[in-house]
PDB file of all heavy atoms in Angstrom:
ATOM      1  N   LEU A 831      20.815  -8.235 -19.440  1.00 56.00           N
ATOM      2  CA  LEU A 831      20.242  -7.676 -18.232  1.00 56.00           C
ATOM      3  C   LEU A 831      20.613  -8.327 -16.995  1.00 56.00           C
ATOM      4  O   LEU A 831      20.466  -7.669 -15.927  1.00 56.00           O
ATOM      5  CB  LEU A 831      18.619  -7.626 -18.263  1.00 56.00           C
ATOM      6  CG  LEU A 831      18.045  -6.654 -19.411  1.00 56.00           C
ATOM      7  CD1 LEU A 831      16.589  -6.838 -19.471  1.00 56.00           C
ATOM      8  CD2 LEU A 831      18.473  -5.246 -19.194  1.00 56.00           C
ATOM      9  N   ALA A 832      21.042  -9.696 -16.982  1.00 52.00           N
ATOM     10  CA  ALA A 832      21.375 -10.200 -15.763  1.00 52.00           C
ATOM     11  C   ALA A 832      22.463  -9.521 -14.965  1.00 52.00           C
ATOM     12  O   ALA A 832      22.690  -9.630 -13.711  1.00 52.00           O
ATOM     13  CB  ALA A 832      21.884 -11.679 -16.081  1.00 52.00           C
ATOM     14  N   CYS A 834      23.043  -6.153 -14.972  1.00 55.00           N
ATOM     15  CA  CYS A 834      22.665  -4.641 -14.922  1.00 55.00           C
ATOM     16  C   CYS A 834      22.703  -4.215 -13.490  1.00 55.00           C
ATOM     17  O   CYS A 834      22.751  -2.993 -13.257  1.00 55.00           O
ATOM     18  CB  CYS A 834      21.564  -4.408 -15.667  1.00 55.00           C
ATOM     19  SG  CYS A 834      19.969  -4.795 -14.675  1.00 55.00           S
ATOM     20  N   GLY A 835      22.742  -5.050 -12.416  1.00 56.00           N
ATOM     21  CA  GLY A 835      22.733  -4.549 -11.104  1.00 56.00           C
ATOM     22  C   GLY A 835      21.292  -4.313 -10.529  1.00 56.00           C
ATOM     23  O   GLY A 835      21.150  -3.771  -9.416  1.00 56.00           O
ATOM     24  N   PHE A 836      20.295  -4.734 -11.156  1.00 52.00           N
ATOM     25  CA  PHE A 836      18.944  -4.566 -10.662  1.00 52.00           C
ATOM     26  C   PHE A 836      18.721  -5.418  -9.446  1.00 52.00           C
ATOM     27  O   PHE A 836      19.026  -6.576  -9.462  1.00 52.00           O
ATOM     28  CB  PHE A 836      17.902  -4.886 -11.698  1.00 52.00           C
ATOM     29  CG  PHE A 836      16.491  -4.887 -11.263  1.00 52.00           C
ATOM     30  CD1 PHE A 836      15.797  -3.676 -11.071  1.00 52.00           C
ATOM     31  CD2 PHE A 836      15.815  -6.039 -10.928  1.00 52.00           C
ATOM     32  CE1 PHE A 836      14.505  -3.558 -10.502  1.00 52.00           C
ATOM     33  CE2 PHE A 836      14.495  -6.074 -10.364  1.00 52.00           C
ATOM     34  CZ  PHE A 836      13.922  -4.837 -10.291  1.00 52.00           C
ATOM     35  N   GLN A 837      18.129  -4.870  -8.301  1.00 57.00           N
ATOM     36  CA  GLN A 837      17.944  -5.583  -7.158  1.00 57.00           C
ATOM     37  C   GLN A 837      16.567  -5.109  -6.611  1.00 57.00           C
ATOM     38  O   GLN A 837      16.323  -4.012  -6.504  1.00 57.00           O
ATOM     39  CB  GLN A 837      19.135  -5.070  -6.187  1.00 57.00           C
ATOM     40  CG  GLN A 837      18.992  -5.725  -4.917  1.00 57.00           C
ATOM     41  CD  GLN A 837      20.094  -5.402  -4.041  1.00 57.00           C
ATOM     42  OE1 GLN A 837      21.015  -4.679  -4.460  1.00 57.00           O
ATOM     43  NE2 GLN A 837      20.022  -5.698  -2.660  1.00 57.00           N
ATOM     44  N   PRO A 838      15.709  -6.019  -6.285  1.00 56.00           N
ATOM     45  CA  PRO A 838      14.488  -5.783  -5.769  1.00 56.00           C
ATOM     46  C   PRO A 838      14.583  -4.961  -4.489  1.00 56.00           C
ATOM     47  O   PRO A 838      15.523  -5.291  -3.614  1.00 56.00           O
ATOM     48  CB  PRO A 838      13.753  -7.029  -5.603  1.00 56.00           C
ATOM     49  CG  PRO A 838      14.860  -8.008  -5.623  1.00 56.00           C
ATOM     50  CD  PRO A 838      15.981  -7.608  -6.347  1.00 56.00           C
ATOM     51  N   LEU A 839      13.794  -3.971  -4.366  1.00 56.00           N
ATOM     52  CA  LEU A 839      13.900  -3.156  -3.143  1.00 56.00           C
ATOM     53  C   LEU A 839      13.534  -3.773  -1.856  1.00 56.00           C
ATOM     54  O   LEU A 839      14.145  -3.598  -0.668  1.00 56.00           O
ATOM     55  CB  LEU A 839      12.968  -1.865  -3.318  1.00 56.00           C
ATOM     56  CG  LEU A 839      13.064  -0.778  -2.139  1.00 56.00           C
ATOM     57  CD1 LEU A 839      14.562  -0.401  -2.119  1.00 56.00           C
ATOM     58  CD2 LEU A 839      12.228   0.356  -2.462  1.00 56.00           C
ATOM     59  N   TYR A 840      12.486  -4.607  -1.919  1.00 55.00           N
ATOM     60  CA  TYR A 840      11.802  -5.345  -0.654  1.00 55.00           C
ATOM     61  C   TYR A 840      12.223  -6.809  -0.559  1.00 55.00           C
ATOM     62  O   TYR A 840      11.514  -7.603   0.098  1.00 55.00           O
ATOM     63  CB  TYR A 840      10.455  -5.059  -0.421  1.00 55.00           C
ATOM     64  CG  TYR A 840      10.035  -3.600  -0.319  1.00 55.00           C
ATOM     65  CD1 TYR A 840       9.422  -2.885  -1.195  1.00 55.00           C
ATOM     66  CD2 TYR A 840      10.711  -2.938   0.686  1.00 55.00           C
ATOM     67  CE1 TYR A 840       9.085  -1.571  -1.061  1.00 55.00           C
ATOM     68  CE2 TYR A 840      10.404  -1.571   0.975  1.00 55.00           C
ATOM     69  CZ  TYR A 840       9.589  -0.811   0.109  1.00 55.00           C
ATOM     70  OH  TYR A 840       9.263   0.351   0.144  1.00 55.00           O
ATOM     71  N   GLY A 841      13.242  -7.217  -1.340  1.00 56.00           N
ATOM     72  CA  GLY A 841      13.595  -8.726  -1.375  1.00 56.00           C
ATOM     73  C   GLY A 841      14.180  -9.075   0.080  1.00 56.00           C
ATOM     74  O   GLY A 841      14.669  -8.272   0.799  1.00 56.00           O
ATOM     75  N   SER A 842      14.114 -10.335   0.303  1.00 52.00           N
ATOM     76  CA  SER A 842      14.649 -10.754   1.570  1.00 52.00           C
ATOM     77  C   SER A 842      16.102 -10.708   1.733  1.00 52.00           C
ATOM     78  O   SER A 842      16.692 -10.567   2.881  1.00 52.00           O
ATOM     79  CB  SER A 842      14.178 -12.319   1.858  1.00 52.00           C
ATOM     80  OG  SER A 842      14.745 -13.172   0.823  1.00 52.00           O
ATOM     81  N   ASN A 843      16.809 -10.665   0.627  1.00 52.00           N
ATOM     82  CA  ASN A 843      18.306 -10.701   0.696  1.00 52.00           C
ATOM     83  C   ASN A 843      18.829  -9.216   0.290  1.00 52.00           C
ATOM     84  O   ASN A 843      19.954  -9.151  -0.038  1.00 52.00           O
ATOM     85  CB  ASN A 843      18.964 -11.654  -0.220  1.00 52.00           C
ATOM     86  CG  ASN A 843      18.649 -13.084   0.368  1.00 52.00           C
ATOM     87  OD1 ASN A 843      18.609 -13.237   1.579  1.00 52.00           O
ATOM     88  ND2 ASN A 843      18.483 -13.935  -0.566  1.00 52.00           N
ATOM     89  N   THR A 844      17.948  -8.171   0.268  1.00 57.00           N
ATOM     90  CA  THR A 844      18.320  -6.918  -0.218  1.00 57.00           C
ATOM     91  C   THR A 844      19.264  -6.276   0.775  1.00 57.00           C
ATOM     92  O   THR A 844      19.071  -6.288   2.117  1.00 57.00           O
ATOM     93  CB  THR A 844      17.067  -6.092  -0.415  1.00 57.00           C
ATOM     94  OG1 THR A 844      16.191  -6.639  -1.373  1.00 57.00           O
ATOM     95  CG2 THR A 844      17.451  -4.653  -0.945  1.00 57.00           C
ATOM     96  N   THR A 845      20.515  -5.756   0.369  1.00 58.00           N
ATOM     97  CA  THR A 845      21.362  -5.143   1.195  1.00 58.00           C
ATOM     98  C   THR A 845      21.515  -3.617   0.854  1.00 58.00           C
ATOM     99  O   THR A 845      21.112  -3.215  -0.232  1.00 58.00           O
ATOM    100  CB  THR A 845      22.731  -5.790   1.140  1.00 58.00           C
ATOM    101  OG1 THR A 845      23.123  -5.753  -0.345  1.00 58.00           O
ATOM    102  CG2 THR A 845      22.605  -7.261   1.458  1.00 58.00           C
ATOM    103  N   THR A 846      22.085  -2.918   1.937  1.00 58.00           N
ATOM    104  CA  THR A 846      22.417  -1.543   1.653  1.00 58.00           C
ATOM    105  C   THR A 846      23.735  -1.458   0.998  1.00 58.00           C
ATOM    106  O   THR A 846      24.493  -2.526   0.814  1.00 58.00           O
ATOM    107  CB  THR A 846      22.429  -0.713   2.979  1.00 58.00           C
ATOM    108  OG1 THR A 846      23.469  -1.287   3.850  1.00 58.00           O
ATOM    109  CG2 THR A 846      21.052  -0.784   3.728  1.00 58.00           C
ATOM    110  N   ALA A 847      24.193  -0.338   0.554  1.00 54.00           N
ATOM    111  CA  ALA A 847      25.441  -0.059  -0.070  1.00 54.00           C
ATOM    112  C   ALA A 847      26.609  -0.561   0.962  1.00 54.00           C
ATOM    113  O   ALA A 847      27.812  -0.947   0.402  1.00 54.00           O
ATOM    114  CB  ALA A 847      25.710   1.350  -0.469  1.00 54.00           C
ATOM    115  N   ALA A 850      24.891  -4.103   4.929  1.00 67.00           N
ATOM    116  CA  ALA A 850      23.868  -4.465   5.951  1.00 67.00           C
ATOM    117  C   ALA A 850      22.624  -4.838   5.255  1.00 67.00           C
ATOM    118  O   ALA A 850      22.339  -4.301   4.075  1.00 67.00           O
ATOM    119  CB  ALA A 850      23.665  -3.294   6.952  1.00 67.00           C
ATOM    120  N   ARG A 851      21.820  -5.688   5.909  1.00 80.00           N
ATOM    121  CA  ARG A 851      20.429  -5.994   5.384  1.00 80.00           C
ATOM    122  C   ARG A 851      19.530  -4.691   5.343  1.00 80.00           C
ATOM    123  O   ARG A 851      19.485  -4.146   6.376  1.00 80.00           O
ATOM    124  CB  ARG A 851      19.893  -7.173   6.118  1.00 80.00           C
ATOM    125  CG  ARG A 851      20.592  -8.468   5.734  1.00 80.00           C
ATOM    126  CD  ARG A 851      20.054  -9.651   6.445  1.00 80.00           C
ATOM    127  NE  ARG A 851      18.686  -9.803   5.730  1.00 80.00           N
ATOM    128  CZ  ARG A 851      17.761 -10.739   6.177  1.00 80.00           C
ATOM    129  NH1 ARG A 851      18.141 -11.478   7.126  1.00 80.00           N
ATOM    130  NH2 ARG A 851      16.639 -10.836   5.639  1.00 80.00           N
ATOM    131  N   LEU A 852      18.797  -4.501   4.254  1.00 82.00           N
ATOM    132  CA  LEU A 852      17.929  -3.353   4.301  1.00 82.00           C
ATOM    133  C   LEU A 852      16.808  -3.506   5.347  1.00 82.00           C
ATOM    134  O   LEU A 852      16.482  -2.474   5.861  1.00 82.00           O
ATOM    135  CB  LEU A 852      17.331  -3.271   2.890  1.00 82.00           C
ATOM    136  CG  LEU A 852      16.391  -2.065   2.718  1.00 82.00           C
ATOM    137  CD1 LEU A 852      17.118  -0.763   2.881  1.00 82.00           C
ATOM    138  CD2 LEU A 852      15.688  -2.173   1.292  1.00 82.00           C
ATOM    139  N   SER A 853      16.279  -4.589   5.586  1.00 83.00           N
ATOM    140  CA  SER A 853      15.278  -4.677   6.584  1.00 83.00           C
ATOM    141  C   SER A 853      15.732  -4.413   8.037  1.00 83.00           C
ATOM    142  O   SER A 853      14.961  -3.794   8.766  1.00 83.00           O
ATOM    143  CB  SER A 853      14.719  -6.194   6.683  1.00 83.00           C
ATOM    144  OG  SER A 853      15.827  -7.081   6.935  1.00 83.00           O
ATOM    145  N   MET A 856      16.086  -0.526   8.031  1.00 89.00           N
ATOM    146  CA  MET A 856      14.895   0.155   8.146  1.00 89.00           C
ATOM    147  C   MET A 856      14.252  -0.016   9.605  1.00 89.00           C
ATOM    148  O   MET A 856      13.629   0.953  10.050  1.00 89.00           O
ATOM    149  CB  MET A 856      13.691  -0.485   7.084  1.00 89.00           C
ATOM    150  CG  MET A 856      14.115  -0.173   5.746  1.00 89.00           C
ATOM    151  SD  MET A 856      13.996   1.542   5.333  1.00 89.00           S
ATOM    152  CE  MET A 856      12.252   1.790   5.439  1.00 89.00           C
ATOM    153  N   THR A 975       9.107   4.051   1.092  1.00 93.00           N
ATOM    154  CA  THR A 975       9.713   3.712  -0.248  1.00 93.00           C
ATOM    155  C   THR A 975      10.925   4.605  -0.541  1.00 93.00           C
ATOM    156  O   THR A 975      12.108   4.121  -0.904  1.00 93.00           O
ATOM    157  CB  THR A 975       8.784   3.758  -1.350  1.00 93.00           C
ATOM    158  OG1 THR A 975       7.745   2.942  -0.963  1.00 93.00           O
ATOM    159  CG2 THR A 975       9.429   3.399  -2.702  1.00 93.00           C
ATOM    160  N   ALA A 978      13.836   3.750   1.993  1.00 91.00           N
ATOM    161  CA  ALA A 978      14.267   2.355   1.561  1.00 91.00           C
ATOM    162  C   ALA A 978      15.305   2.587   0.369  1.00 91.00           C
ATOM    163  O   ALA A 978      16.217   1.933   0.239  1.00 91.00           O
ATOM    164  CB  ALA A 978      13.302   1.389   1.413  1.00 91.00           C
ATOM    165  N   ALA A 979      14.745   3.324  -0.620  1.00 90.00           N
ATOM    166  CA  ALA A 979      15.529   3.470  -1.927  1.00 90.00           C
ATOM    167  C   ALA A 979      16.946   4.172  -1.632  1.00 90.00           C
ATOM    168  O   ALA A 979      17.918   3.814  -2.108  1.00 90.00           O
ATOM    169  CB  ALA A 979      14.789   4.243  -2.860  1.00 90.00           C
ATOM    170  N   TYR A 980      16.824   5.195  -0.753  1.00 91.00           N
ATOM    171  CA  TYR A 980      18.086   5.915  -0.309  1.00 91.00           C
ATOM    172  C   TYR A 980      19.001   4.983   0.458  1.00 91.00           C
ATOM    173  O   TYR A 980      20.192   4.902  -0.026  1.00 91.00           O
ATOM    174  CB  TYR A 980      17.773   7.146   0.486  1.00 91.00           C
ATOM    175  CG  TYR A 980      19.050   7.658   1.096  1.00 91.00           C
ATOM    176  CD1 TYR A 980      19.915   8.423   0.215  1.00 91.00           C
ATOM    177  CD2 TYR A 980      19.480   7.512   2.411  1.00 91.00           C
ATOM    178  CE1 TYR A 980      21.062   9.055   0.780  1.00 91.00           C
ATOM    179  CE2 TYR A 980      20.651   7.953   2.889  1.00 91.00           C
ATOM    180  CZ  TYR A 980      21.407   8.702   2.048  1.00 91.00           C
ATOM    181  OH  TYR A 980      22.546   9.233   2.525  1.00 91.00           O
ATOM    182  N   LEU A 981      18.592   4.209   1.414  1.00 89.00           N
ATOM    183  CA  LEU A 981      19.383   3.293   2.156  1.00 89.00           C
ATOM    184  C   LEU A 981      19.898   2.088   1.288  1.00 89.00           C
ATOM    185  O   LEU A 981      21.097   1.751   1.537  1.00 89.00           O
ATOM    186  CB  LEU A 981      18.623   2.684   3.475  1.00 89.00           C
ATOM    187  CG  LEU A 981      18.217   3.795   4.528  1.00 89.00           C
ATOM    188  CD1 LEU A 981      17.371   3.194   5.625  1.00 89.00           C
ATOM    189  CD2 LEU A 981      19.512   4.392   5.028  1.00 89.00           C
ATOM    190  N   ALA A 982      19.134   1.660   0.391  1.00 86.00           N
ATOM    191  CA  ALA A 982      19.554   0.552  -0.490  1.00 86.00           C
ATOM    192  C   ALA A 982      20.754   1.084  -1.427  1.00 86.00           C
ATOM    193  O   ALA A 982      21.580   0.295  -1.777  1.00 86.00           O
ATOM    194  CB  ALA A 982      18.515   0.046  -1.258  1.00 86.00           C
ATOM    195  N   SER A 983      20.696   2.351  -1.757  1.00 84.00           N
ATOM    196  CA  SER A 983      21.676   2.845  -2.709  1.00 84.00           C
ATOM    197  C   SER A 983      22.812   3.563  -2.170  1.00 84.00           C
ATOM    198  O   SER A 983      23.949   3.613  -2.738  1.00 84.00           O
ATOM    199  CB  SER A 983      20.946   3.650  -3.757  1.00 84.00           C
ATOM    200  OG  SER A 983      20.526   4.755  -3.192  1.00 84.00           O
TER     201      SER A 983
END
Side-chain angles (χ1 to χ4, degrees):
L831 289 175
C834 74
F836 174 77
Q837 180 178 351
L839 186 58
Y840 296 118
S842 61
N843 294 327
T844 304
T845 58
T846 63
R851 293 187 60 182
L852 181 60
S853 60
M856 292 296 289
T975 302
Y980 171 77
L981 291 176
S983 64

